[in-house]
Amino acid sequence: MTDDALLPPEELHARLEAIGAERYHVHHPFHHLLHGGKLSKAQVQAWALNRYYYQASIPAKDASLLARLPTPELRREWRRRIVDHDGDGTHPGGIERWLKLTDGLGLDRDYVVSLEGLLPGTRFAVDAYVNLVRSRSVLEAIASSLTEMFSPAIISQRVSGMLRNYDFVSEETLAYFTPRLTQAPQDVDFALSYVKREARTRAEQEQVLAALRFKCSLLWAQLDALHFAYVEPALPPPGAFRP
Ligand SMILES: O=C(O)c1cc(C(=O)O)c2c(n1)C(=O)C(=O)c1cc(C(=O)O)[nH]c1-2
């Protein structure tokens, strides 16, 4: 096979899996500290407060992609993701459930939502995701969601570890994660078959792989920012959340 030969779909799939195995934030030291019970309540608060910005930005990136999707079938699929996060006015969505988590950790809701205490590194990493989805091809935008191939494993590890190790979290405060265990595989089924089908040249397949690497990097960068500010050397930048 020459270097620019189209990969068989199962080989593309294997290369996507390999990116996750090497680069997903499940390997980040901050994740190990979090689920291993090695963080203080204040450090867990910093994690939840910063990750709120990721949660709150996901429907914005999905809405910008939705506007560019060409068929009702594709739009219907992507619209479901927005409802998953925003709720439907009767059933709470992911953002509301995330705020239950920050409430449960004793953070003031107005302060969380104001983003005043956000780390600059979180802001830049999350904004990079929204910008990627807005500015690159539909194929790359859909491919960038494929980190969800790996999220059920990290979520299971995080939830069981946190329940075992911290007396300040409960099943109720971590309830955000339960629906993600069924929503993520559903999202992935669609996105994976889309990229396998629609990446029709080797160059497009390489774009798909690059989009997933980029996404892994921005998830990693969020945990780097938390680690630097709140674990080691523990130097929160001016204006950032101080427990
Ligand atoms: O808990 C996690 O580690 C984790 C990771 C990811 C991910 O890999 O992007 C998502 C989520 N959670 C998540 O809850 C979520 O709703 C979500 C949406 C997306 C996306 O890219 O559209 N990723 C993720």
Side-chain angles (χ1 to χ4, degrees):
M1 207 189 307
T2 61
D3 273 348
D4 56 2
L6 190 70
L7 302 170
E10 58 280 12
E11 174 61 21
L12 179 64
H13 189 161
R15 291 189 188 199
L16 291 165
E17 292 281 3
I19 289 170
E22 185 191 9
R23 296 173 186 234
Y24 196 50
H25 62 175
V26 71
H27 302 301
H28 197 286
F30 191 91
H31 168 68
H32 294 300
L33 296 173
L34 177 65
H35 80 80
K38 301 293 193 299
L39 298 182
S40 65
K41 182 171 180 185
Q43 290 167 321
V44 176
Q45 285 177 327
W47 166 74
L49 175 123
N50 275 275
R51 194 177 143 151
Y52 170 77
Y53 188 53
Y54 185 63
Q55 298 306 139
S57 300
I58 293 238
K61 71 93 184 164
D62 285 328
S64 81
L65 178 56
L66 178 66
R68 292 198 288 143
L69 294 174
T71 67
E73 291 73 25
L74 288 171
R75 288 195 295 273
R76 210 160 36 235
E77 172 64 26
W78 226 262
R79 196 169 68 213
R80 186 179 49 72
R81 294 181 179 234
I82 299 176
V83 176
D84 285 347
H85 289 275
D86 282 343
D88 61 8
T90 309
H91 306 97
I95 297 179
E96 176 62 26
R97 293 201 316 280
W98 195 266
L99 289 169
K100 293 254 162 46
L101 170 57
T102 57
D103 290 348
L105 290 169
L107 290 163
D108 180 71
R109 234 180 219 232
D110 291 341
Y111 178 69
V112 174
V113 172
S114 76
L115 306 177
E116 272 171 36
L118 200 64
L119 292 170
T122 307
R123 187 184 294 277
F124 299 144
V126 172
D127 288 354
Y129 187 25
V130 179
N131 285 334
L132 172 111
V133 169
R134 199 172 278 157
S135 60
R136 306 300 282 266
S137 66
V138 167
L139 179 68
E140 289 164 289
I142 291 181
S144 70
S145 72
L146 284 173
T147 44
E148 287 192 274
M149 289 164 69
F150 322 117
S151 69
I154 194 177
I155 287 173
S156 304
Q157 201 179 52
R158 190 188 293 127
V159 169
S160 61
M162 288 180 77
L163 287 175
R164 190 165 54 244
N165 291 310
Y166 300 114
D167 58 9
F168 52 84
V169 300
S170 64
E171 286 196 27
E172 202 187 349
T173 44
L174 294 183
Y176 168 79
F177 292 107
T178 313
R180 289 310 304 165
L181 294 172
T182 44
Q183 288 166 349
Q186 195 183 358
D187 291 351
V188 167
D189 277 352
F190 176 84
L192 197 53
S193 52
Y194 182 90
V195 301
K196 284 181 178 167
R197 188 177 69 243
E198 299 294 330
R200 298 180 202 276
T201 63
R202 178 59 182 270
E204 285 177 344
Q205 290 181 324
E206 292 299 332
Q207 288 172 359
V208 164
L209 295 166
L212 185 62
R213 276 188 225 104
F214 182 92
K215 174 73 172 301
C216 285
S217 303
L218 69 88
L219 292 173
W220 195 274
Q222 289 179 65
L223 295 187
D224 277 353
L226 279 166
H227 202 94
F228 183 88
Y230 298 107
V231 180
E232 179 68 48
L235 291 175
F241 169 70
R242 284 186 191 249

